[in-house]
Amino acid sequence: MSSAAVARPVVEPRRETLLPALKSAGLSLLVLAVLWALWEAYKWLGERLELTRPFPVNERTMPHIHDMVGQLFEPSRRNGPLLIDVLLDAAAFTAKEAAAGFLLGAAAGFAIAVVLSESRLLQRGFLPYLVASQTIPILAIAPMVVIWVNPKLPESLAGWGAVAVIAAYLTFFPVTINTLRGLQSADPRAVELMRSYAASRWKILWKLRIPASFPFLFTALKIAAPAAVVGAIIGELPSSIQDGLAGAILNFNQYYITSPESLWATNIIAAALGIIFFVVVALAERLLVRRAPENVA
Amino acid sequence: MSVVAPLPRGTLGARMGRGVVDWIPAAAVLVLGILLWEGLVRALDVQRFLLPAPSAILDTLWEERDLLWSAGIYTFTEAVGGFVIGSALAVLSAIVLARFRSLGRALMPFAIAANAVPIIAFAPITNQWFGPLEKTSKMAIAAILVFFPVMVNMLRGLTSVRPQSIELMRSYASGEIAIFRRVRIPNSLPYLFSALKIATVLAMIGAVVGEYFLSSQEALGFQIRNSAALFQFELAWAAITVASVLGILFYSAVALVERVTMSWHPSSRGE
Amino acid sequence: MSTGAAAVSITGLSKRFERGDVLALERIDLDVQPGEFVSLIGPSGCGKSTLLRIIGDLIRPTDGDVLVNGKSAHRARLDRDYGIVFQDAVLYDWRTVAKNIALPLEMAGWDRKRRETRVGEMVDLVELTGFEKHHPWQLSGGMQQRVSIARALSFSPPLLLMDEPFGALDEMTRERMNNELLRIWQETLSTVVFVTHSIAESVFLSTRVVVMSARPGRIAGVVEVDLPQPRGPETREHPHFAELITEVRRLLRKGHALDAPEEDEETLYVAEEGL
């Protein structure tokens, strides 16, 4: 329990917030540059010394970073569209699945948490299985989910709709766990106050517990958003869906020998997708939720 | 002036008693769930490959126990190996970043970004690095998956110490090392364990998905894919069950170590 | 039991925090004689906690000199010449009461036998016999503070610094702890610098009360508390007690303590010291 500063709200002049922001952006660029330099240095050294541990260092295993980025602007295959166009289309496809799965999973996770929060017994009964559910390898059950769900979907949703379900599977769990903790986090005195107003259980839930859970919900959403992307990719893998990032990964994995940069470039785009999802949720959090400062030593 | 909570009397047995009762609802749900499953599969005549009856899966588990056991162990060692390597590196990195705070602050955004990246997409590359038929390629992807969440959590635990705790140690003229040993590291244990529990699941995912891209035939992931391709769905589901059970055991093992190591913590006192 | 009492000598002390450019303390001059019990009282944000930490070399002053036990504050800290008690007991949950008290002794390299003996003595001193194997969460707030005091005194420092140690306790426990603290002080004979918000507490405990003004903190006045020693519950009924309280209140008013808004010192020194 931190002694959050009882601070009067301060209106900081614009200049004071711009300079530190520029400083940290500059620092981040510096770190990126250092990481790039480390990569190239290890590659250079590894090739000179012909290192084989932990892994052999050569053109195939460690392409130059600028080659990876450069490959994006090359055709993806002979006379074909540019790699970056192919990958952005694939990313958009996967993003669609991930976003749908995220919304579905977050809604489901929240609902489950609300139901569980009302009953200790239900919690004791079902929580272990919720935890266990995440140990089932979704990669293995993905094809089955696809076959089961697809016929039930309208034409426009077929294919990617099932992957959204799989993405939702990875999304709901962190949302449930964190929301549950949030729903239970209301100050007991606040609950007593509500009771003194003869508020019903439902009212207390709606007006106190759910708002109290929002900071926790957003913590979960920041974890769940990238998880939805992972779920979408893993869901696509065994499901013979070519249009998404998993299809691109499988494709360029096949042609790794001839063009290792393409697979690395695919990873870069996939990484960007995950980060974008995270940033969107983090921004939403900034706008929607005020948080007490953490007391950190 | 009364003592707030009595010293826990009695033995493991007394504590076990209360603990066992807690598990009854879960056990009830399990039994009911299995019965329901069995009943529905028979009643609705569900297609075999979607979801065989529990009885069919159990039969196959027994018949193919040798195959499933060795495949399970194979994959499990990949997961455990990756878990150990990734966590060890993560803990060391967190300690270094907590000690050299400015470095930690500079790198934190990158660690958070790395956490958001679908690292699993990197599995084909670790296959290329270490050879797809080797265990090390799967251990590598599992280790990478485990590294970031454990490091971020451990770092958070090392740095969220009350200022007065540090002031107290400074009043004893302690150096940084003593402060780490006596305050920061014990303080970080709850954070570490909560990350390690998640890491067990991530390590298994890493191993199985890594196997999907290409693996030795001895691997569990191979078994699942292969048997599904050959329409041997009971076997596929049996293999999935094995993977799941191993994951649960792994998680529970870490949870048990947590219980034992941190018996002093509020969360294990049932608060 | 004590290794003699320390004197504290503060000359021309000022402290300006970089963050927000706040002048927390301005030209403080204060001499504390060995064996004295001195209270620092003032409104929130007046710098009393900052001053205490400067004496303990946990914050560096911007200007001025601080001598503790005849040495620089820095040297005094390295020589472990003081024990410190905070408002929060800051006990380690993973250690028993005995092990918590033994912490500074472990750090000073005492061998086990010597540690055990001393811990036993301290437990008796703070009247927690029988609770050695308990964990902090099993104790009430007042008991936790007694462990904190025992820990601070375990290596018999000549100086004891206390930052509103009883602030989080209820009135009755607080009065009881005041009596306890005086008893302990009389046994150990160390010098005590005690920060408090409570006028009655400051008068009851101290030989002198130093009243500080609102930020920037200056000394508004010093009240000599010439109530008879040893003090006990009956001291609060002494006619002079009420007079002294009035005098302290007058000085607080003079220092604008009673109309100053609340401002928090902790964020300032936590940020500055990189805690």
Side-chain angles (χ1 to χ4, degrees):
Chain A
M1 198 145 52
S2 67
S3 54
V6 178
R8 282 175 293 175
V10 174
V11 176
E12 283 175 328
R14 207 80 71 74
R15 187 168 21 104
E16 279 189 26
T17 41
L18 190 58
L19 193 56
L22 280 178
K23 264 197 201 165
S24 62
L27 188 60
S28 294
L29 282 175
L30 181 66
V31 174
L32 268 176
V34 169
L35 290 173
W36 184 352
L38 284 173
W39 174 273
E40 297 292 335
Y42 184 80
K43 176 180 164 65
W44 183 86
L45 204 60
E47 284 170 354
R48 290 283 169 292
L49 298 178
E50 292 180 1
L51 289 178
T52 47
R53 292 255 173 276
F55 59 85
V57 178
N58 51 48
E59 273 309 312
R60 214 166 38 86
T61 57
M62 274 186 85
H64 286 289
I65 300 227
H66 48 267
D67 285 337
M68 294 177 202
V69 176
Q71 190 69 24
L72 286 169
F73 301 101
E74 301 284 331
S76 58
R77 56 176 193 280
R78 202 194 300 274
N79 297 325
L82 290 184
L83 181 60
I84 191 162
D85 291 326
V86 171
L87 289 179
L88 286 180
D89 283 339
F93 187 86
T94 305
K96 196 172 52 172
E97 296 162 335
F102 174 73
L103 291 170
L104 185 61
F110 191 81
I112 296 174
V114 168
V115 168
L116 287 183
S117 70
E118 291 295 312
S119 162
R120 255 288 140 94
L121 191 64
L122 283 179
Q123 281 174 44
R124 289 245 173 81
F126 285 97
L127 269 179
Y129 301 105
L130 289 179
V131 174
S133 74
Q134 301 297 296
T135 61
I136 299 176
I138 56 167
L139 181 67
I141 62 175
M144 302 168 198
V145 171
V146 171
I147 295 177
W148 182 60
V149 168
N150 256 344
K152 301 187 167 53
L153 292 171
E155 190 61 47
S156 55
L157 294 176
W160 70 269
V163 178
V165 169
I166 295 166
Y169 187 85
L170 277 195
T171 307
F172 89 88
F173 181 73
V175 174
T176 303
I177 297 292
N178 272 282
T179 306
L180 189 57
R181 198 175 296 153
L183 290 168
Q184 293 170 329
S185 71
D187 191 338
R189 277 156 296 218
V191 178
E192 288 181 314
L193 190 66
M194 291 294 271
R195 291 230 181 98
S196 79
Y197 301 149
S200 67
R201 240 194 137 125
W202 169 247
K203 268 262 157 62
I204 294 180
L205 180 66
W206 186 244
K207 287 203 177 292
L208 175 62
R209 292 194 193 278
I210 288 181
S213 71
F214 284 161
F216 292 81
L217 175 63
F218 271 93
T219 306
L221 291 179
K222 284 193 291 194
I223 298 171
V229 173
V230 171
I233 294 176
I234 295 185
E236 287 172 359
L237 272 177
S239 313
S240 326
I241 292 177
Q242 313 276 28
D243 303 329
L245 281 173
I249 293 172
L250 285 171
N251 187 35
F252 295 117
N253 189 30
Q254 241 189 315
Y255 296 109
Y256 193 79
I257 313 275
T258 45
S259 175
E261 297 84 1
S262 298
L263 184 59
W264 283 90
T266 311
N267 263 276
I268 293 175
I269 300 294
L273 183 64
I275 292 174
I276 289 173
F277 264 65
F278 174 82
V279 166
V280 166
V281 176
L283 282 176
E285 182 192 28
R286 267 280 173 87
L287 292 172
L288 297 173
V289 178
R290 292 286 168 75
R291 320 189 68 167
E294 280 181 25
N295 196 4
V296 174
Chain B
M1 195 165 17
S2 61
V3 168
V4 168
L7 195 61
R9 245 173 248 262
T11 58
L12 191 61
R15 272 184 252 164
M16 276 291 277
R18 201 197 75 175
V20 166
V21 166
D22 284 346
W23 282 97
I24 290 181
V29 168
L30 179 64
V31 170
L32 286 173
I34 292 185
L35 289 175
L36 195 65
W37 178 1
E38 182 83 37
L40 279 176
V41 167
R42 287 182 201 229
L44 301 180
D45 199 24
V46 177
Q47 290 174 284
R48 277 166 54 231
F49 72 94
L50 277 186
L51 203 55
S55 46
I57 298 178
L58 283 171
D59 282 337
T60 319
L61 268 171
W62 179 253
E63 278 168 28
E64 300 287 349
R65 61 189 181 279
D66 290 327
L67 172 69
L68 290 172
W69 176 253
S70 61
I73 295 294
Y74 187 91
T75 302
F76 195 58
T77 34
E78 290 169 346
V80 171
F83 175 84
V84 167
I85 295 171
S87 316
L89 286 174
V91 168
L92 284 171
S93 308
I95 291 177
V96 168
L97 291 182
R99 176 65 186 85
F100 300 104
R101 207 59 83 77
S102 37
L103 190 61
R105 269 190 283 257
L107 290 178
M108 204 37 159
F110 290 91
I112 294 177
N115 241 350
V117 162
I119 293 178
I120 199 66
F122 201 69
I125 293 182
T126 57
N127 273 351
Q128 296 286 350
W129 277 358
F130 298 99
L133 300 180
E134 301 294 318
K135 277 189 194 170
T136 36
S137 49
K138 323 295 181 270
M139 279 196 217
I141 191 71
I144 299 174
L145 276 172
V146 160
F147 177 83
F148 291 104
V150 174
M151 194 207 74
V152 168
N153 263 280
M154 182 78 188
L155 185 57
R156 204 174 285 151
L158 287 171
T159 52
S160 44
V161 178
R162 279 172 306 180
Q164 284 105 341
S165 266
I166 308 289
E167 287 183 311
L168 188 72
M169 292 302 276
R170 292 219 180 126
S171 80
Y172 302 147
S174 325
E176 285 300 320
I177 298 181
I179 292 180
F180 259 86
R181 229 183 86 210
R182 293 183 188 280
V183 179
R184 293 194 189 277
I185 289 182
N187 191 66
S188 69
L189 289 181
Y191 294 79
L192 176 63
F193 274 107
S194 103
L196 286 180
K197 285 190 292 197
I198 297 172
T200 61
V201 177
L202 292 174
M204 286 295 290
I205 291 177
V208 173
V209 177
E211 286 167 1
Y212 177 83
F213 286 100
L214 199 53
S215 71
S216 150
Q217 293 194 354
E218 298 169 54
L220 196 60
F222 179 85
Q223 279 308 317
I224 296 176
R225 220 172 115 193
N226 200 43
S227 46
L230 296 175
F231 297 99
Q232 294 170 309
F233 296 107
E234 285 88 355
L235 181 59
W237 276 99
I240 291 172
T241 310
V242 170
S244 187
V245 166
L246 285 172
I248 294 171
L249 284 175
F250 197 6
Y251 180 96
S252 311
V254 172
L256 188 65
V257 172
E258 179 189 31
R259 256 287 164 95
V260 166
T261 327
M262 296 198 334
S263 51
W264 47 265
H265 196 257
S267 60
S268 49
R269 287 178 251 137
E271 280 172 30
Chain C
M1 193 196 287
S2 79
T3 53
V8 177
S9 169
I10 302 172
T11 340
L13 182 75
S14 295
K15 176 63 187 174
R16 179 178 291 278
F17 285 107
E18 270 181 37
R19 181 183 160 124
D21 197 28
V22 171
L23 183 60
L25 293 167
E26 192 173 31
R27 280 192 313 268
I28 304 280
D29 291 304
L30 180 64
D31 278 318
V32 179
Q33 301 304 322
E36 270 204 274
F37 194 120
V38 168
S39 286
L40 301 176
I41 191 168
S44 293
C46 71
K48 55 193 192 295
S49 291
T50 306
L51 180 57
L52 193 80
R53 281 168 169 77
I54 291 178
I55 297 174
D57 188 47
L58 296 173
I59 303 178
R60 259 125 297 231
T62 317
D63 234 334
D65 288 311
V66 181
L67 290 175
V68 175
N69 209 20
K71 325 167 186 168
S72 70
H74 183 66
R75 183 81 252 147
R77 177 173 71 89
L78 294 178
D79 291 346
R80 298 205 191 100
D81 280 348
Y82 72 88
I84 187 162
V85 178
F86 299 102
Q87 180 169 36
D88 182 349
V90 195
L91 300 176
Y92 296 148
D93 273 338
W94 57 88
R95 287 176 169 244
T96 58
V97 163
K99 280 235 131 84
N100 264 293
I101 297 175
L103 178 65
L105 306 176
E106 281 175 29
M107 305 204 43
W110 287 28
D111 64 78
R112 169 184 282 213
K113 196 85 211 293
R114 209 175 150 209
R115 288 199 315 253
E116 279 176 9
T117 324
R118 173 51 63 89
V119 168
E121 286 167 10
M122 300 316 297
V123 166
D124 289 337
L125 179 67
V126 298
E127 296 185 352
L128 279 177
T129 327
F131 291 97
E132 295 88 335
K133 294 258 179 292
H134 280 61
H135 281 267
W137 75 78
Q138 294 165 309
L139 304 179
S140 69
M143 295 168 87
Q144 288 183 13
Q145 271 303 19
R146 283 194 267 158
V147 177
S148 182
I149 292 171
R151 178 182 60 191
L153 293 172
S154 59
F155 50 99
S156 309
L159 174 64
L160 185 59
L161 300 178
M162 305 181 87
D163 190 1
E164 298 190 56
F166 309 134
L169 305 176
D170 63 86
E171 184 80 21
M172 288 163 290
T173 312
R174 193 171 189 157
E175 262 184 43
R176 205 164 22 216
M177 294 300 295
N178 284 172
N179 298 334
E180 289 290 298
L181 182 60
L182 279 184
R183 179 183 58 77
I184 293 169
W185 174 56
Q186 264 131 29
E187 276 193 54
T188 59
L189 300 173
S190 34
T191 311
V192 181
V193 179
F194 187 94
V195 168
T196 179
H197 259 141
S198 161
I199 302 175
E201 186 176 62
S202 67
V203 170
F204 179 72
L205 293 173
S206 326
T207 53
R208 269 194 301 155
V209 176
V210 174
V211 180
M212 296 181 68
S213 67
R215 186 178 294 166
R218 281 180 236 97
I219 296 185
V222 179
V223 178
E224 291 283 339
V225 180
D226 45 2
L227 294 167
Q229 296 275 9
R231 300 186 192 157
E234 69 286 350
T235 311
R236 297 179 201 270
E237 317 294 329
H238 197 287
H240 197 37
F241 190 76
E243 290 166 6
L244 290 165
I245 288 186
T246 311
E247 177 62 12
V248 172
R249 195 172 288 131
R250 183 187 72 79
L251 286 171
L252 283 168
R253 197 173 292 125
K254 176 181 145 204
H256 297 293
L258 297 179
D259 28 62
E262 299 233 329
E263 283 188 70
D264 196 36
E265 281 172 70
E266 188 176 335
T267 22
L268 293 171
Y269 62 70
V270 164
E272 172 139 325
E273 293 302 303
L275 289 174

